[in-house]
Amino acid sequence: MEEKTKRKIEEIIREERSDADRKYPLFSSLHEGESVIREEIEEVSEVLDEIMETHNWIWKAVRANKSETVKSAAKTIAKLSRELIAESVQVAAVAGKIVDSIEREEEK
């Protein structure tokens, strides 16, 4: 992946974190942070499962030489991949918030 792309991803994660910080304070406990990140990771997993299921359709369509089905499934995977990216950004933002929440407690 290009460095330019990595920088853009970091910027998007910072924006997501900033939005979350405006809505919600730092986590008040390790349990709270774990619950929030678990939910976000589950959402990533669900989207990835959909991608894998759709890929199975691609493989079946390739074996049957059904290019229109492959094309349709590939479009679906592209859409789901965008959702996966968005969910992954949320995971990264929550992970950063967990770190900051722990560091705040360490400073007390």
Side-chain angles (χ1 to χ4, degrees), residues 15 17-24 97:
E15 288 175 12
R17 171 65 192 280
S18 181
D19 289 345
D21 286 347
R22 279 192 291 279
K23 295 176 188 175
Y24 310 104
K97 192 166 192 151

Side-chain angles (χ1 to χ4, degrees), residues 8 17 23 34 39 59 82 88-89 99 108:
K8 286 180 182 179
R17 171 65 192 280
K23 295 176 188 175
E34 187 279 330
E39 179 183 350
W59 177 232
R82 288 173 177 83
S88 296
V89 164
V99 170
K108 287 182 179 182

Side-chain angles (χ1 to χ4, degrees), residues 20-70:
D21 286 347
R22 279 192 291 279
K23 295 176 188 175
Y24 310 104
L26 291 176
F27 299 119
S28 59
S29 70
L30 296 175
H31 292 283
E32 181 184 13
E34 187 279 330
S35 294
V36 174
I37 201 165
R38 176 190 302 266
E39 179 183 350
E40 297 303 336
I41 291 169
E42 285 175 355
E43 291 170 359
V44 165
S45 180
E46 290 167 3
V47 175
L48 187 55
D49 287 346
E50 288 183 63
I51 289 171
M52 295 303 294
E53 287 175 26
T54 305
H55 175 258
N56 287 333
W57 282 107
I58 286 178
W59 177 232
K60 289 175 185 176
V62 165
R63 291 187 312 193
N65 201 30
K66 295 182 177 180
S67 62
E68 284 302 311
T69 302
V70 172

